[in-house]
Amino acid sequence: MTAAALIARDGAALSALQKLRFFPLAVTGGQGCTLIEEGGRELLDLSASWGAASLGHSHPAIRTAVDQALANQAGASILSGANESAVELAEMLLNITPGTEDRCVWLGHSGSDANETVARAIPAATGRSRIMAFSGAYHGGTHGSMSVSGHTAQEGAVKASGLTLVPYPDPLRPFEGDPSGEALLAHIERLLATSCPGDEVACFFMEPIQADGGLIVPPANFLKRLSQLCARYGILTVCDEVKVGLGRTGLTHCFEHEGFIPDILVLGKGLGGGLPVSAVIGPSRIMNYATAFSMQTLHGNPICASAALAVLTTIQAEGLARKARDVGSILMDEISRATSNLPEVGDIRGRGLAIGVELVKDGSHDPDADLARKVVYRAWQIGAVFYYVGMNSNVLELTPPLILSDDEARTGARILAQAIISRSHMMITGKASRILCAAVILSIKPRYMF
């Protein structure tokens, strides 16, 4: 079957509600950091399905764990019975996550259901009705997770009645011109003392790197000081590491870069290595607030739990956090070198293997979303897969598998630079043009959409 035929079947059979297509990609398989298209063409995967394929594709540790779990399947749920894999996963998450309070773990399917659970449980358990979060934050695609998000992709979503959004500390486009974040901290403190009373705020959702908002790294000590401010008011800090956690930034947890320990940690995507599993680690007084408060039949199923155990064990055994730091440094340095003379590249930022390349117009700070669309398409044409994010859809996002090699990093940097350089020469004709119109232009608007 040709790629065009598979895409046509996809268009007829699968709902547009669950699609975000940037180019006519039709995948038949994959190994490591390589995706294989219809026809056998190999592509370097610099996205890992938005970070979900944390160990790459067809990793032997995950395959073995899933095969063993299926060979003698211990049910399909923790809803009405315990299974060893789910319990062991929860114990391991508690062991690798710092914290002093009595804690426990909630297991789910995705970052969306995990953040929704937190957004419902904390106000219920604390009796506080307000929630704070950052503009640009994407905490998920369910009703509850969208209600506490601040991304332009979800402008039509109903927000929580007690939600207050504040700007994310962006050193490139700083609040009140202050790249240190001091002015923003003062602004938040004024809100807590006036229009958003601190004693009514249940929690503050934060990302230690704002992922879908544009791979923005906050100023040093900002989140530490914000957590201290929250503690003064008894506000719980919720750290959403769905995309940037578990070794991706060079440390086990991304918040470790920031010098603070959140009250609640949310994990997803890469936790399952490609299988659907998420987790919330938090105080038992919150997580055990009520029985039957946030449950689904397949939560804690032993197959996904076994995959997650394999992911965590492999990250530790193979030193993948350290590898992400080292290879990420190569990838960022190579991109910087290859694009140093390109005024279209306004900023290169990130930690480890969570890297953002911001594209701008004529060396200014004006976002260039059109260029970003052309670049990801061109990169796919010449051999690599990555996408774009950001409030203005102009930031190339690189979240490759944690097993990315030095050579693959250098190849990826060359492809990215070549895609930017050749953007004005990109020729799309005939059938490819029709596919692009159907699969990309009509579904990807100037703003980033999920």
Side-chain angles (χ1 to χ4, degrees):
M1 178 178 295
T2 66
L6 182 57
I7 290 170
R9 290 172 57 199
D10 169 273
L14 289 172
S15 167
L17 291 173
Q18 58 189 172
K19 295 178 185 176
L20 180 65
R21 304 293 168 80
F22 295 77
F23 34 78
L25 177 67
V27 179
T28 61
Q31 294 286 332
C33 296
T34 300
L35 288 170
I36 303 170
E37 283 190 308
E38 287 283 358
R41 189 169 80 109
E42 295 185 353
L43 298 165
L44 178 60
D45 187 2
L46 295 177
S47 169
S49 295
W50 302 94
S54 53
L55 302 188
H57 306 285
S58 303
H59 194 283
I62 297 177
R63 291 170 59 189
T64 298
V66 170
D67 285 346
Q68 291 177 349
L70 282 170
N72 187 26
Q73 188 172 341
S77 172
I78 55 171
L79 181 61
S80 297
N83 71 71
E84 177 70 25
S85 297
V87 173
E88 187 178 348
L89 174 58
E91 291 172 341
M92 190 169 188
L93 288 169
L94 289 170
N95 286 335
I96 67 172
T97 304
T100 57
E101 193 170 351
D102 179 48
R103 298 169 303 149
C104 61
V105 175
W106 175 95
L107 295 177
H109 300 316
S110 69
S112 296
D113 68 352
N115 279 319
E116 172 157 347
T117 292
V118 172
R120 289 193 289 113
I122 296 180
T126 61
R128 297 185 176 195
S129 60
R130 294 180 181 269
I131 290 175
M132 298 189 79
F134 286 112
S135 299
Y138 183 94
H139 293 301
T142 62
H143 177 78
S145 58
M146 287 192 291
S147 74
V148 295
S149 295
H151 203 287
T152 49
Q154 298 175 332
E155 284 182 336
V158 177
K159 302 302 178 183
S161 59
L163 178 68
T164 297
L165 294 172
V166 298
Y168 195 83
D170 184 352
L172 188 65
R173 298 180 179 86
F175 178 79
E176 293 185 352
D178 176 16
S180 73
E182 292 292 331
L184 180 54
L185 284 168
H187 171 68
I188 295 171
E189 189 159 14
R190 284 194 298 272
L191 290 176
L192 294 174
T194 56
S195 60
C196 183
D199 58 2
E200 297 179 9
V201 179
C203 60
F204 201 129
F205 276 81
M206 58 186 68
E207 297 170 275
I209 293 177
Q210 190 171 64
D212 296 304
L215 270 295
I216 302 171
V217 180
N221 296 317
F222 179 89
L223 293 181
K224 179 179 180 179
R225 293 191 59 188
L226 177 57
S227 70
Q228 292 169 343
L229 176 59
C230 288
R232 293 211 317 260
Y233 286 93
I235 299 167
L236 295 177
T237 50
V238 180
C239 191
D240 178 351
E241 297 203 6
V242 170
K243 185 179 284 189
V244 300
L246 297 178
R248 176 159 296 284
T249 63
L251 295 172
T252 299
H253 303 298
C254 191
F255 66 75
E256 294 176 291
H257 293 281
E258 304 302 332
F260 82 107
I261 298 174
D263 296 298
I264 291 177
L265 177 65
V266 182
L267 300 171
K269 290 190 187 296
L271 176 60
L275 274 73
V277 59
S278 61
V280 179
I281 303 100
S284 297
R285 61 187 173 88
I286 303 295
M287 309 303 291
N288 291 335
Y289 165 72
T291 59
F293 192 79
S294 184
M295 61 183 190
Q296 295 182 41
T297 304
L298 292 175
H299 281 173
N301 79 82
I303 312 304
C304 292
S306 296
L309 281 168
V311 168
L312 296 179
T313 301
T314 301
I315 289 173
Q316 291 185 331
E318 298 184 5
L320 293 185
R322 182 177 63 255
K323 180 178 175 64
R325 179 198 65 198
D326 296 341
V327 178
S329 179
I330 292 173
L331 179 56
M332 191 177 293
D333 289 347
E334 289 291 317
I335 293 171
S336 297
R337 182 188 59 78
T339 63
S340 60
N341 295 321
L342 301 179
E344 300 92 336
V345 177
D347 194 27
I348 302 170
R349 54 183 178 255
R351 285 194 168 112
L353 288 174
I355 298 171
V357 179
E358 178 149 353
L359 301 181
V360 297
K361 297 177 180 178
D362 302 322
S364 68
H365 281 180
D366 296 334
D368 197 336
D370 184 59
L371 176 59
R373 289 194 292 274
K374 292 177 180 178
V375 168
V376 298
Y377 192 97
R378 181 60 179 153
W380 165 75
Q381 286 183 317
I382 59 180
V385 170
F386 55 86
Y387 308 113
Y388 57 78
V389 295
M391 293 284 274
N392 296 290
S393 302
N394 69 309
V395 180
L396 308 178
E397 179 188 84
L398 306 178
T399 55
L402 303 181
I403 61 170
L404 189 77
S405 71
D406 295 3
D407 287 343
E408 287 170 331
R410 294 186 179 96
T411 297
R414 286 196 298 270
I415 292 174
L416 184 147
Q418 182 181 345
I420 298 174
I421 293 168
S422 64
R423 71 205 181 282
S424 60
H425 304 293
M426 184 174 63
M427 300 293 291
I428 304 170
T429 60
K431 184 178 294 185
S433 179
R434 292 193 295 275
I435 293 173
L436 172 63
C437 291
V440 181
I441 293 176
L442 294 181
S443 38
I444 308 300
K445 297 177 182 176
R447 286 179 176 168
Y448 175 49
M449 296 178 63
F450 271 77

